[in-house]
């Protein structure tokens, strides 16, 4: 059932993530290599942990011989935001059969963002598209880490600043969402709360409160935002 | 050898905790029962809020009052907004703005 077409469409969706993942994966592989680890460790971590900013911290945790409890706490602290991603994907994911566990495992910031913006054409297999997007992103990350661990020291051109591609991705998706009127109040909620908590709590601690209070406010605004006729009137206005 | 064991344990803990966090909503709402209306509603409205928080999360370490005052980040982010409102091509937006940012921090605001 149009498998090839679905896979090709999915590949096109992942291109904005590809370069960033390959180069950030390489940076991780190289960092672990410089800390004295065999490249297979980089490969194993990217394959099994698959979480960008946590992996960079792992290099420090591993080489410093950190305690297990401390490592667990740091993971919860850094990746806590991931709790929120599944909320909008429960319905779609649970129809995915044996791919369901992998889809949950591979739900990174970037995969979540790409899945949010991808509108699968009706003649393609949506499950196939979502699975291929998740798998390809994971492959880019693993391959990048492998390359970084093996040959990162031979990369001679300056890659400083390439991490901005992830910022660009999130901001661009924000711009896309802003075009839809229904997203404006949620987006403003997220922005305003981020600024407030950034000022109050500082750059390392603002994200979880921002997300939690966003959920709370959106739930409170449900009778206003989610009233059935709101979306219909907006459809008509467009 | 003890060291290898410790390494494996830390990696294992990081992996298990991460997948647990990603799985929480599915553990709660992923069963056979119908998804509650409130969660459906959030599925519709929450992504825009999350994306806004993520964008700020990426820009959180800008030093507005020190160094280059966050000028390269602000210019590149402004470029993303303009370019994407105008051309609506995500590849073009990500590619050009990243190039622009790399040139700025490597050659201009060094």
């Amino acid at each position: 059932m149009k498998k090839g077409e679905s896979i090709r469409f999915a590949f096109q969706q992942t291109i904005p993530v590809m370069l960033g993942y390959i180069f950030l994966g390489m940076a991780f592989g190289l960092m672990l290599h410089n800390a004295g680890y065999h490249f297979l460790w980089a490969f194993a971590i990217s394959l099994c942990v698959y979480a960008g900013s946590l992996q960079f911290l792992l290099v420090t945790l591993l080489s410093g011989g950190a305690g297990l409890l401390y490592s667990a706490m740091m993971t919860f602290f850094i990746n806590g935001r991931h709790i929120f991603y599944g909320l909008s994907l429960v319905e779609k994911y649970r129809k995915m059969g044996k791919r369901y566990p992998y889809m949950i495992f591979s739900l990174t910031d970037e995969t979540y963002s790409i899945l949010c913006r991808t509108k699968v054409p009706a003649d393609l297999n949506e499950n196939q598209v979502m699975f291929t997007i998740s798998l390809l992103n994971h492959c880019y990350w693993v391959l990048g880490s492998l390359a970084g661990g093996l040959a990162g020291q031979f990369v001679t051109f300056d890659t400083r600043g390439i991490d901005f591609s992830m910022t660009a991705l999130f901001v661009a998706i924000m711009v896309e969402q802003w075009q839809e009127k229904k997203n404006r109040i949620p987006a403003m909620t997220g922005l305003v709360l981020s600024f407030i908590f950034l000022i109050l709590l500082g750059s390392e601690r603002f994200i979880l409160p921002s997300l939690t209070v966003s959920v709370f406010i959106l739930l409170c605004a449900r009778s206003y935002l989610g009233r059935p006729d709101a979306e219909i009137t907006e459809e008509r206005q467009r | 050898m003890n060291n290898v064991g410790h390494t494996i344990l830390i990696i294992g803990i990081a992996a298990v905790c991460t997948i647990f966090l990603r799985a929480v909503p599915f553990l709660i709402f992923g069963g056979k029962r119908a998804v509650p209306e409130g969660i459906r509603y959030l599925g519709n409205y929450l992504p825009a809020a999350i994306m806004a928080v993520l964008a700020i999360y990426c820009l959180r370490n800008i030093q507005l009052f020190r160094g280059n005052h966050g000028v390269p980040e602000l210019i590149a982010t402004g470029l993303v907004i303009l370019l994407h409102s105008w051309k609506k091509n995500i590849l073009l937006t990500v590619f050009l703005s990243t190039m622009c940012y790399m040139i700025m921090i490597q050659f201009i605001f060094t």
Side-chain angles (χ1 to χ4, degrees):
Chain A
M1 177 181 148
K2 290 215 175 184
K3 197 171 178 184
E5 293 251 327
S6 301
I7 291 174
R8 204 174 59 196
F9 175 77
F11 169 68
Q12 289 165 352
Q13 304 304 309
T14 63
I15 299 175
V17 174
M18 181 163 54
L19 277 185
Y21 261 22
I22 288 179
F23 280 101
L24 289 179
M26 282 181 82
F28 166 73
L30 181 61
M31 206 172 154
L32 202 66
H33 170 87
N34 290 341
Y37 287 85
H38 194 269
F39 73 88
L40 282 177
W41 285 113
F43 175 74
I45 294 174
S46 287
L47 192 70
C48 307
V49 181
Y50 189 30
S53 35
L54 175 68
Q55 286 186 213
F56 284 98
L57 180 78
L58 263 185
V59 179
T60 323
L61 293 178
L62 288 174
S63 47
L68 302 181
L69 186 66
Y70 180 73
S71 307
M73 276 166 53
M74 287 314 285
T75 306
F76 275 101
F77 182 64
I78 292 184
N79 281 343
R81 64 183 187 283
H82 286 145
I83 284 186
F84 296 89
Y85 299 166
L87 286 177
S88 45
L89 293 166
V90 173
E91 280 205 293
K92 281 186 179 171
Y93 272 21
R94 60 182 201 173
K95 286 182 291 197
M96 292 195 60
K98 59 180 191 291
R99 290 164 174 169
Y100 184 44
Y102 178 77
M103 295 303 289
I104 297 172
F105 158 76
S106 58
L107 194 53
T108 59
D109 298 333
E110 288 74 16
T111 298
Y112 173 72
S113 314
I114 295 293
L115 289 177
C116 278
R117 74 178 286 272
T118 300
K119 305 216 169 15
V120 184
D123 57 334
L124 297 182
N125 180 341
E126 190 181 24
N127 286 353
Q128 182 71 49
V129 170
M130 293 198 301
F131 174 70
T132 311
I133 289 176
S134 302
L135 184 64
L136 282 174
N137 285 347
H138 194 189
C139 289
Y140 303 147
W141 182 251
V142 171
L143 288 177
S145 312
L146 200 54
L150 268 173
Q153 66 267 50
F154 303 118
V155 175
T156 46
F157 63 95
D158 195 343
T159 56
R160 263 180 309 146
I162 203 150
D163 51 331
F164 186 81
S165 60
M166 299 306 173
T167 315
L169 179 71
F170 300 137
V171 176
I173 294 175
M174 241 183 94
V175 171
E176 286 174 3
Q177 289 172 331
W178 190 261
Q179 315 293 330
E180 274 183 76
K181 279 212 178 82
K182 76 159 176 89
N183 285 327
R184 293 193 181 168
I185 291 175
M188 278 314 285
T189 309
L191 272 182
V192 171
L193 287 172
S194 297
F195 281 120
I196 293 175
F197 284 112
L198 191 58
I199 292 165
L200 286 179
L201 302 173
S203 61
E204 295 314 313
R205 281 184 295 180
F206 82 97
I207 190 161
L208 289 178
S210 305
L211 290 171
T212 314
V213 180
S214 294
V215 169
F216 184 73
I217 290 184
L218 289 179
L219 282 177
C220 290
R222 189 173 158 196
S223 54
Y224 172 73
L225 283 174
R227 63 185 195 279
D229 55 314
E231 278 173 68
I232 300 163
T233 358
E234 268 175 28
E235 290 292 334
R236 285 201 193 116
Q237 279 167 356
R238 254 185 282 148
Chain B
M1 261 351 263
N2 191 19
N3 202 5
V4 173
H6 191 74
T7 305
I8 292 176
L9 270 178
I10 291 189
I11 296 173
I13 281 176
V16 170
C17 294
T18 301
I19 192 169
F20 171 75
L21 288 168
R22 289 176 184 161
V24 167
F26 301 95
L27 293 174
I28 302 174
F29 303 111
K32 293 267 183 289
R33 277 179 303 150
V35 176
E37 271 311 303
I39 296 302
R40 282 204 163 156
Y41 158 80
L42 280 181
N44 217 346
Y45 289 91
L46 190 59
I50 290 183
M51 218 52 65
V53 177
L54 266 181
I56 303 298
Y57 182 66
C58 284
L59 295 167
R60 71 192 184 280
N61 288 320
I62 293 183
Q63 305 285 348
L64 281 182
F65 306 107
R66 269 183 287 156
N68 53 32
H69 303 278
V71 173
E73 285 81 7
L74 294 179
I75 292 179
T77 306
L79 184 67
V80 172
I81 296 172
L82 287 179
L83 206 56
H84 208 59
S85 313
W86 177 39
K87 285 289 181 187
K88 297 186 171 43
N89 178 336
I90 195 142
L91 253 183
L92 184 82
T93 304
V94 169
F95 188 75
L96 272 186
S97 61
T98 306
M99 286 298 289
C100 176
Y101 180 73
M102 289 173 77
I103 291 169
M104 278 193 288
I105 65 160
Q106 290 181 18
F107 301 107
I108 303 172
F109 298 92
T110 46

